[in-house]
Every structure is written in C-alpha cells, then in structure tokens.
Amino acid sequence: MKIAVLSGKGGTGKTLVSVNLAAVAEKGGYFDCDVEEPNGHLFLKPSDIEEEEVTSLKPVVDMDKCDGCRVCVDACVYKALAYIPGELMIFDEICHACGLCTHLCPRQALTETKRVIGTIRRGRRGSLSVHTGTMHIGESTGVPIIKELLKKLDDDLSIIDSPPGSGCLVLETIAHADYCILVAEPTIFGAQNLALVHELTQVMNKPAGVLLNKVEDGINPSELYAKEKTLKILGSLPYDSYVALENSNAELLVERSEKYRTFFLELLKEVVDEATLAAQR
Amino acid sequence: MIIAIPAEEKSLDSVISVNFGRSPYYCIYDTEKEQSTFVENKAVERSGGAGVEAAQNLVDRKIDALVTFRLGDHAAKVLTTAKIKVLKAVNLSIADNIAKVLDHSLEELNEVHPGGINKG
C-alpha cells in the first residue's frame, strides 16, 4: 500500500500529516520527496543514516571535434546551450539531461558525463524506514532524485510526502502511489489549489480523498469543493494553536496527544480501507 | 557599432524593458547607418533558458553593445564570451539611451543576478 500526501500549495500540512501517519503506523517507509526543502526527518529523527549521491548526466564538448554546426543549440528544448564562434557553452543548471544534443551531434563532439545533483539519506526509526531526498541548490529539476528515492518503496506500507504544487516533481512522486491524500486549507485559494491537484490525480487515474486541515467555524470552500465533486472527505483537523506549537518544535502529535494519536490511527485505517476498496474497483 | 536595447514597444520613444531575457522586443540600432530596427524576442514565452536564447540571438545579430537595466548570469556569460559590452541603462526612452551611448555617458553594468526562473 503506497500512499502519497499532496496539496496544490505549500504550508497546508502535507508533512504534518505524513510524519504522523508514518509514526503511528510504526512500520513500512516514509519517503520525503519534497527535495527542495525536505523536513520530515526533523520530526521522525531517524538514526543509522546511510547517505548516497544522486547523479545526472550532462553533456561535455570536445572543441577539437565541434565544427560549430549548432544542431545541438537549435535542438535543445531547454536552451542550455549557446554557441559563440570558437566556443560551445553548456549551462549545467539549465540542462535537463535529456541527451538529445549528444544523440544529434553529427561529429560526435558531445559526450555525457555524470554530475552530482543531490543526495539521499536512508535511516531508521524503529521498524519504520525514513528516506529523504535533497536537491542541491541551483539545480533545475529534482526528478532524478525522486526516482532514485522511490526505488526502495515498501509495498506493505509507504507514506510518500510530496512536494507542493502539481508539476513534474509531483507527477513523479505519485506515479507509484495507490492512493492520494489531498490536504486542503479552508480558504478560496486553498480550494483552487485543491482543484488543481484533484485534477492531476484524475488525469493520472489515482484514487484520492481530502483531508481538511486548519478547519474553523464557518464556510469551508475546500469542503464545498469536495462535496461538489463527491470527493471522499477522509477527516478534518481543527485550526489549533496546540498543533502549531508542537509542530514548530518538531514534535510528533501522535506522541504528545492521545486525541491526535487516535485521529491519525483512524485516518490511517480509513485511508487503507479506501485504497483497498479503490484497488478492487 | 551595433547596439541592442530591450524594448517594451516597437518605437524609439518606448521605455526600456526591465527584463532582458523576457523583453517583448529588442531595438537594434546601427550607429553608422543611423538606422533602428525592432525584432521580436522569441524567447519571451520560454519557461526556462530565455536569457541564454535571447543572448544567443543577439550574438548572432553581431551586436557590439547591449544597454539593459539588469541581466542574468547565464546571459551575461554568453555575452561576455562573445566580447559584447554591457552598459547600464538609464530610466529614459530608447532614443535617449542611444544618445547616451554615443556620447559615452553610460556606465558598464557590473552586477548580474542569478539566472533561471524565479531567482532574479
């Protein structure tokens, strides 16, 4: 069972939900795919950490072979190449490592070499494995890091903490997920962002449910959206200064409060049941 | 000498575009022929690499100098490698900036911002 936790915007509570679900499960794996700023490890505090580097390919030019035909410059979708008479310039941070330039070069002047774009740390918290991907500052894409990180997905139970938004990184993150939890705030902006990730899960044919977070009295546009789309509401977390305080001290709610421990145990059960049902459909 | 200036509109009275790579047009001015032409910037809609593409296009037009408010480091690297002089624009029309290039009263642009999306 692989469960991804996502949201259309940052700060809705993806990591709060992910780390508490993983902690309450006490087994399986937690995967922090928010490679631009992973922070799940601050809560789960894993030990026995093993670190590996993630590399990506980059083109390197041999100017003795380059005749300045510019096939590579014109072909590059990302504009990572420029040609000044006598010099082919390659911008590594813009390059997406697609390999097209190397493939097309009529004089085989381009070759690919490896370069480090990030790191992966894998550790343990009791029976739970904790996996964290980190992208180096200035890199254009963390997709290769997420790919590598998710190679160790645990089929029994994996909680996948997604980056915010609905772009390439999120696509890669939910590609292997059996079920998606969409965390949403009770604002119009929150509902619009919920709609974006909901559409993404539909395009990718992933079953999904909403977890309403920071809920107060009054109208909740995200709840209205969920009801309109007959999207399953998995649970509702209140706007609670206690949660904010514990969270800002990197504490796990499920270890500090019986009320929240019960909430996340029930949420986990609900999600597993929903995902099991969805798999049978 | 051929000068390039990022332009908001296709007119010498236009203001200079605050962006280099995502400027809608460039004014290309030939000081010997005293002729100006306006070219569209095809890089404007790129999600990334706009600065590099725009710089490449200007290098291909064999410009000698660029007048701009700001410049990303990727584009700056392309232009300096091609030995193109980069001058700091003043907040006047394109025609006024051209006049200031001709009487050598523009300073060189020494600062560049990090290239790439959302980093400038």
Side-chain angles (χ1 to χ4, degrees), chain A residues 25-93:
Chain A
E26 294 177 345
K27 58 166 188 171
Y30 164 82
F31 296 81
D32 198 342
C33 295
D34 193 1
V35 295
E36 290 181 16
E37 41 210 344
N39 60 353
H41 64 98
L42 298 175
F43 298 88
L44 294 169
K45 304 174 183 68
S47 56
D48 306 323
I49 291 166
E50 286 178 22
E51 191 171 312
E52 53 187 281
E53 287 183 329
V54 182
T55 57
S56 179
L57 293 171
K58 66 160 185 176
V60 178
V61 65
D62 178 353
M63 282 314 293
D64 291 339
K65 290 185 182 167
C66 176
D67 64 359
C69 74
R70 294 173 53 150
V71 164
C72 56
V73 174
D74 295 336
C76 181
V77 179
Y78 307 99
K79 294 295 155 193
L81 299 152
Y83 183 79
I84 308 301
E87 186 174 348
L88 181 70
M89 304 177 76
I90 301 168
F91 294 96
D92 293 347
E93 309 83 27

Side-chain angles (χ1 to χ4, degrees), chain A residues 70 73 76-79 81-84 87 89 91 93-94 138-139, chain B residues 46 48-50 52-53 56 59-60 73-75 77-78 81-82 119:
Chain A
R70 294 173 53 150
V73 174
C76 181
V77 179
Y78 307 99
K79 294 295 155 193
L81 299 152
Y83 183 79
I84 308 301
E87 186 174 348
M89 304 177 76
F91 294 96
E93 309 83 27
I94 301 177
E139 289 300 334
Chain B
R46 285 207 165 278
V52 173
E53 186 179 15
Q56 173 80 67
V59 169
D60 294 345
D73 58 1
H74 296 138
K77 212 174 155 204
V78 175
T81 305
K119 291 179 204 154

